[in-house]
Amino acid sequence: MKLSIFQTAMLTSFASSAAFTARRQARSMATRAFGGSSILNAKEGQAEVILVGCGQPNKGMGWYHAIQMLEEKCPSASLDYVVEPWFMGAGGDSPAGKEFKTWQTDTEAKYGTTFAGSLDDLPPPAAPRLALISGRTADNPHLLTECIEKGCKCIYLEKPGAPTVTELEQMKKEADAAGVEVLMGYNKNVCKYVAKTREYAATVPGSHVTFVSNNAYEPTAESLGECFERNAEGMLKNMAIHELALLVSFYDVTVDNIAEVTADKEFSSMQTLKGPSGKDYTDFDKIKFTIKTKNGNEVSVQADRCGGTDSYATVSKDGEEVFRYYMPDEEDKALVQALQAKYPTAMPYFFTQDPDYITVKERVAKHTVDGKPAEGIANIQVAVDTLKVAEYLTPILQEQLK
C-alpha cells in the first residue's frame, strides 16, 4: 500500500520521536555509582569521554565542549564524566560556582552524566576512554598524568598544552612512554576560511597571507585587566596560539627556521594593567607581525582582543589585497544567529567556531575508538613546536614595541 505524503511524514516524525525517547531513557538509566559497578553510557562505536575542567557555564570553553557532546553533535563521543575540581571544591560557594551547580543538577537529570571533583573518583574505563582537558593551562601537566593513570587511550589537550616548552616536552615523553596519544584542540587547522585562503594563495605566485584573529573584550582597563590575569600565559600562548599553529603546520615556521620577525608598530599595542587580584599584568591587547623563514616563506599574523567576533584571512599581491575569507562566512551566519539566540549570555567566539570545534572533537573521538588517523588534527609535537615559537617571539615583539 502506498502511503500519502502526510502519512509518511507522520511515521517519520513518530520514528524520530521514539528514537529520541529511547536515547533519553538509555541516558537516564546510565547513571554510575562510585565504588560500585558501572553501567555503560557510551554505546558501541563511541568513546567514553571525560571532560576535565568544565569552567563556568556560558564562559568556559570546557562548558561549550560539553554542550556540543550532550547535544550529540559529535556522534563518536559520549560525555560520560565531567571533572570540575574548582567549582566542585573551593569555588563552589562563589556566584559562578552556584551557577555551575544549577547546570550540573540539570545535566545529571537530563543526560545521566556523572560529575566529580577529582579524577580519583572515577571507575575504570568501560569503553575506549578519551580525556578532554580544558582547564587552566598551569594545571595541564598534572591533569595529563592523572588521565593516563585513569586508563585514557587518547587525550585531547586544549591549547597551548602547558605553560612552558619544558613542561610540554615532559608531558609528551610521559604520554609516549605510556602509549597514550595526545592530540591538540587547534581547531583553526580544520577551519573552512583557512583552507579557502591557502587554496587561493596557491594560485597567486608571490602572494602574501595574513591570518587575523579577533576577540570581543571591551576596550577598558577593567575588561582587559581581567583578560590578562585569566590568560596570564600571554596573548601569543593563548589567543594567537592558533595562528602560530597554522604557521608551524603549513608555513615551515619553527624557531630554527625563522629568519626575521617584524612587528607592525602602528597597529600593535602593549599595556600593563591590573587584574581583579590587584596584580599587574603586561601583555599585548593587539599585535601584528610578519615572519620570514630561512627557506623563503613569508606570512603575517594579526590579533586584537577588542577587534570583534570575526576571524578571517587575506591574500595580498604587491601590497594590494586580492582575497579575503571570513569565519563565519555567509553560509554559517545563520547558525551563529541561532546559537546566539539559544545561548544569549555565552562567549560570542564559541558560535563563530562552532562547526570546527565539532569537527576536531569528532575526529579525535572516532580515532580513539577505531585507531584510524585523525585527519588534519595537530599532535603534541606540533604543540611543542608552536609553543617554542610563542616563547621565542614574545620577548622580541615586546622589545620592538618599547
Side-chain angles (χ1 to χ4, degrees), residues 52-346:
V52 186
C54 178
Q56 183 181 352
N58 294 297
K59 304 297 181 186
M61 186 67 245
W63 170 83
Y64 199 68
H65 282 311
I67 291 297
Q68 290 185 323
M69 288 185 283
L70 291 172
E71 294 181 351
E72 300 185 348
K73 301 291 181 63
C74 309
S76 300
S78 173
L79 181 58
D80 293 355
Y81 300 101
V82 174
V83 175
E84 175 47 57
W86 175 246
F87 289 131
M88 295 184 70
D93 292 331
S94 67
K98 293 174 182 177
E99 183 183 0
F100 177 86
K101 181 62 178 176
T102 299
W103 179 75
Q104 174 191 342
T105 301
D106 291 345
T107 302
E108 287 172 332
K110 187 174 183 180
Y111 299 104
T113 305
T114 296
F115 284 71
S118 169
L119 283 156
D120 289 336
D121 294 331
L122 304 189
R129 178 172 278 183
L130 166 65
L132 195 167
I133 301 177
S134 187
R136 294 189 316 136
T137 300
D139 294 332
N140 285 355
H142 79 80
L143 290 176
L144 180 131
T145 297
E146 293 175 26
C147 287
I148 291 173
E149 291 172 349
K150 291 313 255 180
C152 291
K153 180 180 178 182
C154 184
I155 294 174
Y156 175 129
L157 188 61
E158 272 294 0
K159 52 80 178 171
T164 66
V165 170
T166 300
E167 289 169 292
L168 193 57
E169 287 180 325
Q170 179 56 42
M171 292 164 69
K172 181 180 183 301
K173 289 179 183 178
E174 182 179 357
D176 288 347
V180 173
E181 185 157 19
V182 181
L183 299 173
M184 303 299 300
Y186 282 124
N187 60 288
K188 290 187 178 180
N189 279 37
V190 300
C191 277
K192 186 194 306 184
Y193 84 101
V194 172
K196 294 285 188 183
T197 301
R198 292 180 59 231
E199 289 168 6
Y200 186 89
T203 69
V204 183
S207 60
H208 183 93
V209 171
T210 301
F211 293 107
V212 179
S213 177
N214 290 312
N215 278 170
Y217 290 93
E218 293 295 323
T220 64
E222 180 181 7
S223 178
L224 286 170
E226 187 278 332
C227 172
F228 285 9
E229 180 168 299
R230 182 161 43 85
N231 303 295
E233 61 268 25
M235 180 187 269
L236 293 191
K237 288 187 178 182
N238 179 263
M239 175 184 173
I241 198 75
H242 286 283
E243 283 64 40
L244 296 184
L246 295 176
L247 270 54
V248 169
S249 299
F250 304 123
Y251 294 89
D252 301 325
V253 172
T254 64
V255 170
D256 293 337
N257 197 34
I258 293 175
E260 183 180 329
V261 182
T262 306
D264 182 332
K265 296 181 181 180
E266 184 176 349
F267 176 88
S268 303
S269 171
M270 182 173 65
Q271 299 188 55
T272 298
L273 299 170
K274 290 189 182 298
S277 68
K279 183 179 177 181
D280 286 340
Y281 291 87
T282 299
D283 198 3
F284 309 109
D285 54 287
K286 56 181 181 177
I287 187 72
K288 183 177 181 181
F289 57 89
T290 298
I291 291 179
K292 294 181 180 179
T293 66
K294 294 175 182 177
N295 61 334
N297 291 332
E298 183 175 321
V299 62
S300 297
V301 169
Q302 175 180 310
D304 187 345
R305 288 288 192 189
C306 307
T309 59
D310 293 337
S311 291
Y312 61 92
T314 65
V315 179
S316 58
K317 173 73 172 177
D318 299 326
E320 296 293 327
E321 184 178 313
V322 296
F323 178 88
R324 177 181 292 211
Y325 205 97
Y326 278 94
M327 179 184 72
D329 60 11
E330 291 300 322
E331 182 181 352
D332 293 332
K333 283 183 178 179
L335 170 64
V336 171
Q337 291 173 353
L339 290 169
Q340 286 174 333
K342 189 174 184 178
Y343 302 106
T345 61

Side-chain angles (χ1 to χ4, degrees), residues 390-401:
E391 290 190 355
Y392 174 80
L393 292 178
T394 298
I396 292 174
L397 294 171
Q398 287 175 336
E399 185 64 29
Q400 291 185 17
L401 296 182

Side-chain angles (χ1 to χ4, degrees), residues 343-396:
Y343 302 106
T345 61
M347 297 298 287
Y349 71 86
F350 292 162
F351 310 139
T352 58
Q353 302 181 62
D354 176 88
D356 308 307
Y357 294 143
I358 291 171
T359 296
V360 175
K361 281 197 293 294
E362 172 58 20
R363 290 182 185 179
V364 174
K366 189 174 185 301
H367 165 77
T368 302
V369 175
D370 64 22
K372 296 178 181 177
E375 182 183 356
I377 308 303
N379 59 27
I380 194 170
Q381 184 58 57
V382 171
V384 169
D385 292 339
T386 301
L387 199 54
K388 284 181 178 180
V389 170
E391 290 190 355
Y392 174 80
L393 292 178
T394 298
I396 292 174

